[in-house]
Coordinates of all heavy atoms in Angstrom, one line a residue:
F125 N 96.1 98.9 95.6 CA 95.8 100.3 95.3 C 96.7 100.8 94.2 O 97.9 100.8 94.3 CB 96.0 101.2 96.6 CG 95.9 102.6 96.4 CD1 94.7 103.2 96.0 CD2 97.0 103.5 96.7 CE1 94.6 104.6 95.8 CE2 96.9 104.8 96.5 CZ 95.7 105.4 96.1
E126 N 96.0 101.2 93.1 CA 96.8 101.5 91.9 C 96.3 102.9 91.3 O 95.2 103.3 91.7 CB 96.6 100.5 90.8 CG 97.0 99.1 91.2 CD 98.5 98.8 91.0 OE1 99.2 99.8 90.7 OE2 98.9 97.7 91.1
N127 N 97.2 103.5 90.6 CA 96.7 104.7 89.8 C 97.0 104.5 88.3 O 97.9 103.9 87.9 CB 97.5 106.0 90.3 CG 98.9 106.1 89.7 OD1 99.0 106.6 88.6 ND2 99.9 105.5 90.4
F128 N 96.0 104.9 87.5 CA 96.1 104.8 86.1 C 95.8 106.2 85.5 O 94.6 106.6 85.5 CB 95.2 103.7 85.6 CG 95.6 102.3 86.0 CD1 95.0 101.8 87.1 CD2 96.5 101.6 85.3 CE1 95.4 100.5 87.5 CE2 96.9 100.3 85.7 CZ 96.3 99.8 86.8
G129 N 96.8 106.9 85.1 CA 96.5 108.2 84.5 C 96.1 109.2 85.7 O 96.8 109.4 86.6
H130 N 94.8 109.6 85.6 CA 94.3 110.5 86.6 C 93.2 109.9 87.4 O 92.3 110.6 87.9 CB 93.8 111.8 85.9 CG 94.9 112.6 85.2 ND1 95.9 113.2 85.9 CD2 95.1 112.7 83.9 CE1 96.7 113.8 85.0 NE2 96.3 113.5 83.8
K131 N 93.3 108.6 87.6 CA 92.2 107.9 88.4 C 92.9 106.9 89.3 O 93.9 106.3 89.0 CB 91.1 107.3 87.5 CG 91.7 106.1 86.6 CD 90.5 105.6 85.8 CE 91.0 104.4 84.9 NZ 89.9 103.9 84.1
Y132 N 92.2 106.6 90.4 CA 92.7 105.6 91.4 C 91.8 104.3 91.2 O 90.6 104.5 91.0 CB 92.6 106.1 92.8 CG 93.5 107.2 93.1 CD1 93.0 108.5 93.3 CD2 94.9 107.0 93.2 CE1 93.9 109.6 93.6 CE2 95.7 108.1 93.6 CZ 95.2 109.4 93.7 OH 96.1 110.4 94.0
E133 N 92.4 103.2 91.4 CA 91.6 101.9 91.3 C 92.0 101.0 92.4 O 93.2 101.0 92.9 CB 91.8 101.3 89.9 CG 91.2 102.0 88.8 CD 91.3 101.2 87.5 OE1 91.9 100.2 87.4 OE2 90.6 101.7 86.5
L134 N 91.1 100.2 92.9 CA 91.3 99.1 93.8 C 91.1 97.8 93.0 O 90.1 97.6 92.4 CB 90.4 99.1 95.0 CG 90.5 100.3 95.9 CD1 89.4 100.3 97.0 CD2 91.9 100.3 96.6
I135 N 92.2 96.9 93.0 CA 92.2 95.8 92.1 C 92.4 94.5 92.9 O 93.4 94.4 93.7 CB 93.2 95.9 91.0 CG1 93.0 97.2 90.2 CG2 93.3 94.7 90.1 CD1 94.1 97.5 89.2
S136 N 91.6 93.5 92.7 CA 91.8 92.1 93.3 C 92.0 91.2 92.1 O 92.0 91.6 90.9 CB 90.7 91.7 94.2 OG 89.5 91.4 93.5
S137 N 92.0 89.9 92.4 CA 92.1 88.9 91.3 C 90.9 88.9 90.4 O 91.1 88.5 89.2 CB 92.3 87.5 91.9 OG 91.2 87.2 92.7
D138 N 89.7 89.3 90.8 CA 88.6 89.3 90.0 C 87.7 90.5 90.1 O 86.6 90.5 89.6 CB 87.7 88.0 90.3 CG 87.3 88.0 91.7 OD1 87.7 88.9 92.5 OD2 86.5 87.1 92.1

Side-chain angles (χ1 to χ4, degrees):
F125 172 60
E126 301 276 9
N127 79 87
F128 294 93
H130 297 289
K131 63 180 181 179
Y132 295 107
E133 291 186 352
L134 295 175
I135 303 173
S136 71
S137 59
D138 59 353

